[in-house]
PDB file of all heavy atoms in Angstrom:
ATOM      1  N   ILE A 318     -21.633 -62.057   7.871  1.00 98.00           N
ATOM      2  CA  ILE A 318     -22.100 -61.799   9.250  1.00 98.00           C
ATOM      3  C   ILE A 318     -23.595 -61.493   9.228  1.00 98.00           C
ATOM      4  O   ILE A 318     -24.363 -61.978  10.054  1.00 98.00           O
ATOM      5  CB  ILE A 318     -21.270 -60.651   9.876  1.00 98.00           C
ATOM      6  CG1 ILE A 318     -19.835 -61.149  10.091  1.00 98.00           C
ATOM      7  CG2 ILE A 318     -21.897 -60.151  11.169  1.00 98.00           C
ATOM      8  CD1 ILE A 318     -18.860 -60.129  10.601  1.00 98.00           C
ATOM      9  N   TYR A 346     -25.852 -64.478  18.790  1.00 97.00           N
ATOM     10  CA  TYR A 346     -25.052 -63.937  17.687  1.00 97.00           C
ATOM     11  C   TYR A 346     -25.472 -62.482  17.414  1.00 97.00           C
ATOM     12  O   TYR A 346     -24.633 -61.604  17.221  1.00 97.00           O
ATOM     13  CB  TYR A 346     -25.215 -64.810  16.435  1.00 97.00           C
ATOM     14  CG  TYR A 346     -24.203 -64.478  15.369  1.00 97.00           C
ATOM     15  CD1 TYR A 346     -22.912 -65.006  15.409  1.00 97.00           C
ATOM     16  CD2 TYR A 346     -24.519 -63.597  14.325  1.00 97.00           C
ATOM     17  CE1 TYR A 346     -21.961 -64.672  14.449  1.00 97.00           C
ATOM     18  CE2 TYR A 346     -23.580 -63.268  13.358  1.00 97.00           C
ATOM     19  CZ  TYR A 346     -22.302 -63.812  13.416  1.00 97.00           C
ATOM     20  OH  TYR A 346     -21.373 -63.478  12.466  1.00 97.00           O
ATOM     21  N   ALA A 349     -24.057 -60.358  19.938  1.00 97.00           N
ATOM     22  CA  ALA A 349     -22.622 -60.194  19.711  1.00 97.00           C
ATOM     23  C   ALA A 349     -22.377 -59.137  18.626  1.00 97.00           C
ATOM     24  O   ALA A 349     -21.499 -58.288  18.764  1.00 97.00           O
ATOM     25  CB  ALA A 349     -22.004 -61.533  19.315  1.00 97.00           C
ATOM     26  N   VAL A 350     -23.184 -59.172  17.559  1.00 98.00           N
ATOM     27  CA  VAL A 350     -23.013 -58.181  16.485  1.00 98.00           C
ATOM     28  C   VAL A 350     -23.283 -56.778  17.042  1.00 98.00           C
ATOM     29  O   VAL A 350     -22.506 -55.843  16.814  1.00 98.00           O
ATOM     30  CB  VAL A 350     -23.952 -58.474  15.283  1.00 98.00           C
ATOM     31  CG1 VAL A 350     -23.899 -57.333  14.276  1.00 98.00           C
ATOM     32  CG2 VAL A 350     -23.578 -59.795  14.610  1.00 98.00           C
ATOM     33  N   GLU A 353     -20.415 -55.546  18.981  1.00 97.00           N
ATOM     34  CA  GLU A 353     -19.305 -55.160  18.102  1.00 97.00           C
ATOM     35  C   GLU A 353     -19.564 -53.785  17.463  1.00 97.00           C
ATOM     36  O   GLU A 353     -18.650 -52.970  17.320  1.00 97.00           O
ATOM     37  CB  GLU A 353     -19.107 -56.202  16.996  1.00 97.00           C
ATOM     38  CG  GLU A 353     -18.245 -57.379  17.400  1.00 97.00           C
ATOM     39  CD  GLU A 353     -16.789 -56.977  17.679  1.00 97.00           C
ATOM     40  OE1 GLU A 353     -16.521 -56.576  18.833  1.00 97.00           O
ATOM     41  OE2 GLU A 353     -15.955 -57.066  16.774  1.00 97.00           O
ATOM     42  N   GLU A 401      -8.359 -58.643  20.149  1.00 94.00           N
ATOM     43  CA  GLU A 401      -7.446 -59.123  19.107  1.00 94.00           C
ATOM     44  C   GLU A 401      -7.944 -58.551  17.775  1.00 94.00           C
ATOM     45  O   GLU A 401      -9.155 -58.561  17.521  1.00 94.00           O
ATOM     46  CB  GLU A 401      -7.520 -60.664  19.093  1.00 94.00           C
ATOM     47  CG  GLU A 401      -6.449 -61.297  18.279  1.00 94.00           C
ATOM     48  CD  GLU A 401      -6.945 -62.567  17.617  1.00 94.00           C
ATOM     49  OE1 GLU A 401      -8.022 -63.071  17.965  1.00 94.00           O
ATOM     50  OE2 GLU A 401      -6.232 -63.030  16.715  1.00 94.00           O
ATOM     51  N   ALA A 405     -11.325 -55.186  13.412  1.00 97.00           N
ATOM     52  CA  ALA A 405     -12.206 -56.104  12.685  1.00 97.00           C
ATOM     53  C   ALA A 405     -13.550 -56.292  13.394  1.00 97.00           C
ATOM     54  O   ALA A 405     -13.624 -56.299  14.620  1.00 97.00           O
ATOM     55  CB  ALA A 405     -11.511 -57.458  12.544  1.00 97.00           C
ATOM     56  N   LEU A 406     -14.603 -56.438  12.581  1.00 97.00           N
ATOM     57  CA  LEU A 406     -15.929 -56.783  13.113  1.00 97.00           C
ATOM     58  C   LEU A 406     -15.942 -58.292  13.346  1.00 97.00           C
ATOM     59  O   LEU A 406     -16.012 -59.072  12.392  1.00 97.00           O
ATOM     60  CB  LEU A 406     -17.001 -56.392  12.087  1.00 97.00           C
ATOM     61  CG  LEU A 406     -18.453 -56.775  12.390  1.00 97.00           C
ATOM     62  CD1 LEU A 406     -19.007 -55.996  13.570  1.00 97.00           C
ATOM     63  CD2 LEU A 406     -19.351 -56.534  11.179  1.00 97.00           C
ATOM     64  N   LYS A 407     -15.817 -58.697  14.604  1.00 97.00           N
ATOM     65  CA  LYS A 407     -15.698 -60.132  14.909  1.00 97.00           C
ATOM     66  C   LYS A 407     -16.692 -60.509  16.007  1.00 97.00           C
ATOM     67  O   LYS A 407     -16.339 -60.553  17.185  1.00 97.00           O
ATOM     68  CB  LYS A 407     -14.270 -60.437  15.404  1.00 97.00           C
ATOM     69  CG  LYS A 407     -13.271 -60.619  14.277  1.00 97.00           C
ATOM     70  CD  LYS A 407     -11.877 -60.852  14.791  1.00 97.00           C
ATOM     71  CE  LYS A 407     -11.761 -62.095  15.646  1.00 97.00           C
ATOM     72  NZ  LYS A 407     -10.365 -62.489  15.896  1.00 97.00           N
ATOM     73  N   PRO A 408     -17.934 -60.822  15.619  1.00 97.00           N
ATOM     74  CA  PRO A 408     -18.924 -61.167  16.657  1.00 97.00           C
ATOM     75  C   PRO A 408     -18.464 -62.332  17.534  1.00 97.00           C
ATOM     76  O   PRO A 408     -18.813 -62.390  18.715  1.00 97.00           O
ATOM     77  CB  PRO A 408     -20.164 -61.556  15.844  1.00 97.00           C
ATOM     78  CG  PRO A 408     -19.965 -60.969  14.498  1.00 97.00           C
ATOM     79  CD  PRO A 408     -18.502 -60.851  14.263  1.00 97.00           C
ATOM     80  N   GLU A 409     -17.645 -63.244  16.930  1.00 96.00           N
ATOM     81  CA  GLU A 409     -17.257 -64.445  17.714  1.00 96.00           C
ATOM     82  C   GLU A 409     -16.524 -64.105  18.999  1.00 96.00           C
ATOM     83  O   GLU A 409     -16.500 -64.918  19.929  1.00 96.00           O
ATOM     84  CB  GLU A 409     -16.378 -65.429  16.987  1.00 96.00           C
ATOM     85  CG  GLU A 409     -16.028 -65.532  15.570  1.00 96.00           C
ATOM     86  CD  GLU A 409     -15.894 -64.353  14.690  1.00 96.00           C
ATOM     87  OE1 GLU A 409     -16.890 -63.708  14.329  1.00 96.00           O
ATOM     88  OE2 GLU A 409     -14.754 -64.096  14.316  1.00 96.00           O
ATOM     89  N   ARG A 410     -15.922 -62.916  19.065  1.00 95.00           N
ATOM     90  CA  ARG A 410     -15.158 -62.616  20.286  1.00 95.00           C
ATOM     91  C   ARG A 410     -16.087 -62.486  21.506  1.00 95.00           C
ATOM     92  O   ARG A 410     -15.627 -62.453  22.622  1.00 95.00           O
ATOM     93  CB  ARG A 410     -14.301 -61.366  20.107  1.00 95.00           C
ATOM     94  CG  ARG A 410     -15.015 -60.096  19.892  1.00 95.00           C
ATOM     95  CD  ARG A 410     -14.054 -58.896  19.934  1.00 95.00           C
ATOM     96  NE  ARG A 410     -13.761 -58.330  18.621  1.00 95.00           N
ATOM     97  CZ  ARG A 410     -12.538 -58.201  18.121  1.00 95.00           C
ATOM     98  NH1 ARG A 410     -11.503 -58.611  18.803  1.00 95.00           N
ATOM     99  NH2 ARG A 410     -12.364 -57.638  16.939  1.00 95.00           N
ATOM    100  N   TRP A 411     -17.385 -62.384  21.249  1.00 96.00           N
ATOM    101  CA  TRP A 411     -18.350 -62.263  22.347  1.00 96.00           C
ATOM    102  C   TRP A 411     -19.017 -63.599  22.680  1.00 96.00           C
ATOM    103  O   TRP A 411     -19.918 -63.645  23.509  1.00 96.00           O
ATOM    104  CB  TRP A 411     -19.445 -61.253  21.972  1.00 96.00           C
ATOM    105  CG  TRP A 411     -18.930 -59.864  21.810  1.00 96.00           C
ATOM    106  CD1 TRP A 411     -18.443 -59.296  20.666  1.00 96.00           C
ATOM    107  CD2 TRP A 411     -18.817 -58.848  22.817  1.00 96.00           C
ATOM    108  NE1 TRP A 411     -18.038 -58.002  20.901  1.00 96.00           N
ATOM    109  CE2 TRP A 411     -18.271 -57.703  22.211  1.00 96.00           C
ATOM    110  CE3 TRP A 411     -19.146 -58.801  24.176  1.00 96.00           C
ATOM    111  CZ2 TRP A 411     -18.036 -56.524  22.910  1.00 96.00           C
ATOM    112  CZ3 TRP A 411     -18.910 -57.624  24.876  1.00 96.00           C
ATOM    113  CH2 TRP A 411     -18.360 -56.517  24.240  1.00 96.00           C
ATOM    114  N   LEU A 412     -18.609 -64.668  21.966  1.00 95.00           N
ATOM    115  CA  LEU A 412     -19.297 -65.953  22.144  1.00 95.00           C
ATOM    116  C   LEU A 412     -18.352 -66.967  22.774  1.00 95.00           C
ATOM    117  O   LEU A 412     -17.158 -66.985  22.447  1.00 95.00           O
ATOM    118  CB  LEU A 412     -19.793 -66.468  20.789  1.00 95.00           C
ATOM    119  CG  LEU A 412     -20.745 -65.516  20.040  1.00 95.00           C
ATOM    120  CD1 LEU A 412     -21.016 -66.014  18.625  1.00 95.00           C
ATOM    121  CD2 LEU A 412     -22.060 -65.352  20.810  1.00 95.00           C
ATOM    122  N   ASP A 413     -18.875 -67.835  23.662  1.00 93.00           N
ATOM    123  CA  ASP A 413     -18.018 -68.879  24.229  1.00 93.00           C
ATOM    124  C   ASP A 413     -18.008 -70.089  23.299  1.00 93.00           C
ATOM    125  O   ASP A 413     -18.636 -70.069  22.223  1.00 93.00           O
ATOM    126  CB  ASP A 413     -18.425 -69.218  25.672  1.00 93.00           C
ATOM    127  CG  ASP A 413     -19.773 -69.936  25.738  1.00 93.00           C
ATOM    128  OD1 ASP A 413     -20.287 -70.350  24.677  1.00 93.00           O
ATOM    129  OD2 ASP A 413     -20.312 -70.067  26.861  1.00 93.00           O
ATOM    130  N   GLU A 414     -17.358 -71.187  23.740  1.00 92.00           N
ATOM    131  CA  GLU A 414     -17.201 -72.333  22.825  1.00 92.00           C
ATOM    132  C   GLU A 414     -18.547 -72.995  22.500  1.00 92.00           C
ATOM    133  O   GLU A 414     -18.681 -73.699  21.516  1.00 92.00           O
ATOM    134  CB  GLU A 414     -16.174 -73.340  23.376  1.00 92.00           C
ATOM    135  CG  GLU A 414     -16.432 -73.945  24.737  1.00 92.00           C
ATOM    136  CD  GLU A 414     -16.119 -72.990  25.908  1.00 92.00           C
ATOM    137  OE1 GLU A 414     -15.754 -71.812  25.665  1.00 92.00           O
ATOM    138  OE2 GLU A 414     -16.269 -73.423  27.055  1.00 92.00           O
ATOM    139  N   GLY A 416     -21.205 -71.200  21.833  1.00 93.00           N
ATOM    140  CA  GLY A 416     -21.964 -70.200  21.072  1.00 93.00           C
ATOM    141  C   GLY A 416     -22.804 -69.298  21.965  1.00 93.00           C
ATOM    142  O   GLY A 416     -23.644 -68.546  21.492  1.00 93.00           O
ATOM    143  N   LYS A 417     -22.578 -69.398  23.302  1.00 93.00           N
ATOM    144  CA  LYS A 417     -23.365 -68.541  24.218  1.00 93.00           C
ATOM    145  C   LYS A 417     -22.731 -67.164  24.335  1.00 93.00           C
ATOM    146  O   LYS A 417     -21.503 -67.050  24.333  1.00 93.00           O
ATOM    147  CB  LYS A 417     -23.413 -69.180  25.614  1.00 93.00           C
ATOM    148  CG  LYS A 417     -24.674 -69.998  25.833  1.00 93.00           C
ATOM    149  CD  LYS A 417     -24.740 -70.559  27.220  1.00 93.00           C
ATOM    150  CE  LYS A 417     -25.382 -69.570  28.189  1.00 93.00           C
ATOM    151  NZ  LYS A 417     -25.504 -70.139  29.534  1.00 93.00           N
ATOM    152  N   THR A 419     -21.139 -64.074  25.900  1.00 91.00           N
ATOM    153  CA  THR A 419     -20.458 -63.821  27.167  1.00 91.00           C
ATOM    154  C   THR A 419     -20.352 -62.303  27.338  1.00 91.00           C
ATOM    155  O   THR A 419     -19.826 -61.614  26.476  1.00 91.00           O
ATOM    156  CB  THR A 419     -19.026 -64.393  27.172  1.00 91.00           C
ATOM    157  OG1 THR A 419     -18.374 -63.919  26.009  1.00 91.00           O
ATOM    158  CG2 THR A 419     -19.018 -65.898  27.204  1.00 91.00           C
TER     159      THR A 419
END
Side-chain angles (χ1 to χ4, degrees):
I318 292 175
Y346 192 82
V350 172
E353 275 294 86
E401 192 214 348
L406 175 68
K407 278 177 60 167
E409 348 32 288
R410 65 172 105 237
W411 295 89
L412 302 171
D413 70 11
E414 58 283 4
K417 264 183 87 177
T419 52

